[in-house]
Amino acid sequence: MQESRLFKIVYYLLDKGQATAPELAARFEVSVRTIYRDIDALSAAGIPIYAETGRNGGIRLMHDFVLDHAVLSGEEKQEILAALQSIHVTQNIAESQTLQKLSALFHLSSENWLEIDFSRWGNQGFDREKFELLKTAVIHCRQIRIRYAGSDGAERERTVQPYKLVYKSKAWYLKAFCTEKQDMRTFKLNRILELTLLEESFVRRSFPAEPEDSEIDCPLVTLRFPKEMTYRVYDEFDESQIERQENGDLIAAARMPEGAWLVSFLLSFGTQVEILSPAHLREEIARQAEKIVEKYKT
């Protein structure tokens, strides 16, 4: 237990720069006296750690101290290289050099096991450029100006403070603070039509934790598909959500957010889906189908 805590103290100081003994004691749930014993043990082991008294004092590591890579297990080294490889696929040169240096330091090869192409079919590269600009804005806390196609069909320009890029349900999203709405918003990357990186920086603010999917209005939707749609069903649903019937039909049940997206999603199956529940969703799809018929009668 003490050995684990000693390493954690070193990692904490590498991350924070310095800390007081009471801060470390609270962090690791031990007494201040125990922390000072740990500091003595680390110093005796050759770790250049020292304490300064006074108003701005605290426990620090020597400025040029680098943790010996030998404390990492083989599995941990592989995990670090795998994580860097996943970052490298976004074509960042600096990260590529970091990957090469650590591969040499760990005496391990970095296999090119992952490839990500952010562009859509037929796209000439704007999607990748967009992702790179957003990544830069998030990392360096730079505001951006976007032209966005909303779900209501309107295009609007907004200045936002980007917080996080999220990949969910086969699509990329940007979570950002909208300066116009003065609130957090989620933007689908495919709908960002123009993007400008601004000079203005911003300070990240704290927000309440986002609600779980179960806390959002996500009713249980139950659908029946013919066996001919097996490929598409497994594209859209997890195997645990699917039940195969004796005649080959597939019953899929999943919680989905109600709204325009769900209607469009179900209509994309054409006549190859039957909504078993909820009843009001069956009625809504029937109304939309009638509108489609009327549109094409002429």
Side-chain angles (χ1 to χ4, degrees), residues 151-216:
S151 57
D152 59 356
E155 295 180 11
R156 299 181 179 88
E157 289 196 356
R158 293 187 180 184
T159 299
V160 302
Q161 300 170 352
Y163 274 56
K164 184 185 297 185
L165 287 164
V166 179
Y167 185 79
K168 185 177 178 63
S169 187
K170 297 182 289 188
W172 282 98
Y173 297 87
L174 171 69
K175 291 187 177 181
F177 179 80
C178 178
T179 58
E180 177 184 337
K181 300 296 184 181
Q182 286 294 297
D183 198 6
M184 292 296 288
R185 291 289 189 271
T186 299
F187 303 94
K188 193 170 185 177
L189 259 61
N190 286 347
R191 296 185 192 168
I192 297 179
L193 308 179
E194 292 181 0
L195 169 63
T196 304
L197 184 63
L198 304 178
E199 293 297 328
E200 292 84 358
S201 60
F202 65 92
V203 178
R204 290 177 175 272
R205 62 194 80 193
S206 299
F207 291 93
E210 295 186 7
E212 299 291 337
D213 288 346
S214 59
E215 297 175 3
I216 305 173

Side-chain angles (χ1 to χ4, degrees), residues 67-78:
L67 190 63
D68 190 339
H69 67 86
V71 302
L72 297 172
S73 68
E75 183 179 354
E76 289 170 332
K77 294 174 185 177
Q78 290 284 11

Side-chain angles (χ1 to χ4, degrees), residues 224 227 243-250:
R224 181 192 297 274
K227 60 183 179 181
E243 181 181 340
R244 187 177 290 275
Q245 307 299 295
E246 291 185 3
N247 65 351
D249 285 358
L250 301 173

Side-chain angles (χ1 to χ4, degrees), residues 4 19 38 41 49 63 71 76 97 102 112 124 137 180 193 234 238 264 278 288:
S4 174
D38 289 344
I49 190 170
H63 177 68
V71 302
E76 289 170 332
Q97 294 173 345
L102 282 181
N112 188 15
Q124 297 299 313
E180 177 184 337
L193 308 179
Y234 281 101
D238 184 78
S264 298
Q288 294 298 325

Side-chain angles (χ1 to χ4, degrees), residues 88-100:
H88 169 54
V89 297
T90 61
Q91 303 299 314
N92 185 295
I93 296 175
E95 287 157 354
S96 175
Q97 294 173 345
T98 302
L99 182 62
Q100 294 172 0

Side-chain angles (χ1 to χ4, degrees), residues 25-283:
R27 171 80 178 182
F28 300 108
E29 299 180 343
V30 294
S31 67
V32 171
R33 181 176 297 181
T34 297
I35 290 296
Y36 281 121
R37 283 200 296 265
D38 289 344
I39 300 306
D40 290 339
L42 287 168
S43 180
I47 303 296
I49 190 170
Y50 65 99
E52 286 186 345
T53 59
R55 182 177 180 182
N56 297 318
I59 299 169
R60 296 184 176 88
L61 294 167
M62 293 293 291
H63 177 68
D64 294 327
F65 172 70
V66 177
L67 190 63
D68 190 339
H69 67 86
V71 302
L72 297 172
S73 68
E75 183 179 354
E76 289 170 332
K77 294 174 185 177
Q78 290 284 11
E79 289 178 354
I80 290 172
L81 291 178
L84 283 174
Q85 179 64 48
S86 66
I87 296 172
H88 169 54
V89 297
T90 61
Q91 303 299 314
N92 185 295
I93 296 175
E95 287 157 354
S96 175
Q97 294 173 345
T98 302
L99 182 62
Q100 294 172 0
K101 290 177 181 178
L102 282 181
S103 294
L105 180 65
F106 293 162
H107 302 291
L108 294 171
S109 63
S110 175
E111 299 297 335
N112 188 15
W113 63 278
L114 179 66
E115 180 177 347
I116 298 176
D117 187 350
F118 296 105
S119 60
R120 288 162 284 188
W121 293 107
N123 183 275
Q124 297 299 313
F126 176 62
D127 286 338
R128 180 177 290 278
E129 179 185 355
K130 183 194 306 180
F131 190 91
E132 283 296 312
L133 286 172
L134 288 172
K135 185 177 70 172
T136 299
V138 170
I139 292 174
H140 298 288
C141 295
R142 295 266 297 277
Q143 293 192 128
I144 57 174
R145 187 71 177 169
I146 63 174
R147 181 165 63 88
Y148 188 72
S151 57
D152 59 356
E155 295 180 11
R156 299 181 179 88
E157 289 196 356
R158 293 187 180 184
T159 299
V160 302
Q161 300 170 352
Y163 274 56
K164 184 185 297 185
L165 287 164
V166 179
Y167 185 79
K168 185 177 178 63
S169 187
K170 297 182 289 188
W172 282 98
Y173 297 87
L174 171 69
K175 291 187 177 181
F177 179 80
C178 178
T179 58
E180 177 184 337
K181 300 296 184 181
Q182 286 294 297
D183 198 6
M184 292 296 288
R185 291 289 189 271
T186 299
F187 303 94
K188 193 170 185 177
L189 259 61
N190 286 347
R191 296 185 192 168
I192 297 179
L193 308 179
E194 292 181 0
L195 169 63
T196 304
L197 184 63
L198 304 178
E199 293 297 328
E200 292 84 358
S201 60
F202 65 92
V203 178
R204 290 177 175 272
R205 62 194 80 193
S206 299
F207 291 93
E210 295 186 7
E212 299 291 337
D213 288 346
S214 59
E215 297 175 3
I216 305 173
D217 185 16
C218 293
L220 182 64
V221 179
T222 306
L223 310 168
R224 181 192 297 274
F225 299 92
K227 60 183 179 181
E228 293 77 16
M229 292 297 290
T230 297
Y231 74 97
R232 177 80 189 278
V233 174
Y234 281 101
D235 276 349
E236 305 292 350
F237 300 94
D238 184 78
E239 186 178 7
S240 63
Q241 300 171 317
I242 303 169
E243 181 181 340
R244 187 177 290 275
Q245 307 299 295
E246 291 185 3
N247 65 351
D249 285 358
L250 301 173
I251 304 294
R255 292 196 174 275
M256 299 182 177
E258 288 202 276
W261 171 85
L262 181 54
V263 172
S264 298
F265 172 72
L266 294 174
L267 287 173
S268 71
F269 289 96
T271 60
Q272 299 299 307
V273 63
E274 179 188 357
I275 302 168
L276 302 181
S277 67
H280 70 270
L281 188 55
R282 287 175 59 93
E283 297 167 359

